[in-house]
Amino acid sequence: MDTPVHFSSGDEPYIGRKPLYVFDVLISSTLDLSAKLAERTRAEQLTELQKAAAQIVPQGLNIALSIRELVRQAHLFPALVLLRSLVERAAVISYLRVTSDALPLWERGWKHGERPSLVKMLTVTHPTKDTEGARKTCETLNHLVHGDPFAAEYNLVALGEDAWGYGVGRNLNDGPLCDFVCDQSISWLTVLAAN
């Protein structure tokens, strides 16, 4: 059978996988919540934190939707690369929520060199202040974005029973990688929505 040029919701290759289902449910509920909150942001006077959230959270939702569409089309590696941007939005809004003195820095443009590192934001906002976990998370995400040899491991595809290669385009047969993308997206979309 020929592979369709574009998968729809009824024929996508990873449909039926539990993490994908949970991701879909979370996206739907988060979009519903976002629509309700959007009405309030137009009707009320907002705090500085609420103004920041009104900018950051929709960006994160857009990224989550893009990750979902990439998964639908079996473009798993690019979905992983976008995960870094979703994590960043979740970390920024979480950091601003728990570190109120950072709001003026955000309002001035959140400039590189002035803003905290992603490791710091993840550490400060983690309940156990887990610096090592934050460092490992950032290291993995940075490898994916910067295209070094470690990132290539996530782009391996089976070429048969005993052969592997670096894929270009769709990855139709890697359920564990699909689950990883969805599990990570679920975690960070949850953090984003909770703020």
Side-chain angles (χ1 to χ4, degrees):
M1 178 187 276
D2 291 329
T3 304
V5 173
H6 184 80
F7 291 111
S8 65
S9 60
D11 63 0
E12 61 183 281
Y14 294 109
I15 200 73
R17 299 193 69 84
K18 186 172 183 179
L20 182 57
Y21 172 76
V22 173
F23 189 29
D24 283 342
V25 170
L26 181 60
I27 287 171
S28 293
S29 62
T30 304
L31 288 172
D32 287 344
L33 176 62
S34 178
K36 290 173 186 163
L37 292 175
E39 288 179 28
R40 286 181 47 195
T41 64
R42 291 186 292 273
E44 298 176 12
Q45 187 70 18
L46 301 179
T47 67
E48 297 308 312
L49 179 59
Q50 289 170 328
K51 289 176 187 175
Q55 295 172 23
I56 296 166
V57 173
Q59 291 175 14
L61 290 173
N62 271 312
I63 293 165
L65 289 168
S66 296
I67 290 169
R68 178 60 182 96
E69 186 57 29
L70 287 167
V71 170
R72 179 184 323 281
Q73 300 308 322
H75 294 293
L76 301 180
F77 183 75
L80 274 175
V81 172
L82 267 184
L83 186 61
R84 170 68 163 78
S85 296
L86 178 59
V87 171
E88 183 100 21
R89 270 50 175 206
V92 169
I93 192 58
S94 297
Y95 184 80
L96 292 176
R97 188 178 49 78
V98 301
T99 314
S100 59
D101 61 341
L103 277 166
L105 182 62
W106 166 261
E107 292 164 355
R108 285 196 312 270
W110 205 241
K111 295 179 181 154
H112 183 70
E114 292 181 7
R115 67 180 178 244
S117 68
L118 184 55
V119 171
K120 180 177 181 177
M121 289 188 288
L122 291 175
T123 300
V124 167
T125 59
H126 194 276
T128 65
K129 308 299 183 223
D130 180 15
T131 303
E132 185 59 21
R135 189 192 62 71
K136 285 182 179 180
T137 297
C138 290
E139 186 177 300
T140 299
L141 294 169
N142 289 339
H143 285 302
L144 289 165
V145 168
H146 297 303
D148 58 34
F150 178 82
E153 293 178 26
Y154 287 92
N155 200 34
L156 280 173
V157 294
L159 301 175
E161 287 187 34
D162 298 326
W164 292 86
Y166 298 106
V168 176
R170 294 177 172 172
N171 183 345
L172 298 168
N173 299 305
D174 196 341
L177 184 57
C178 174
D179 293 349
F180 179 74
V181 170
C182 292
D183 285 338
Q184 291 297 308
S185 298
I186 290 163
S187 296
W188 294 107
L189 183 55
T190 300
V191 170
L192 186 76
N195 283 288

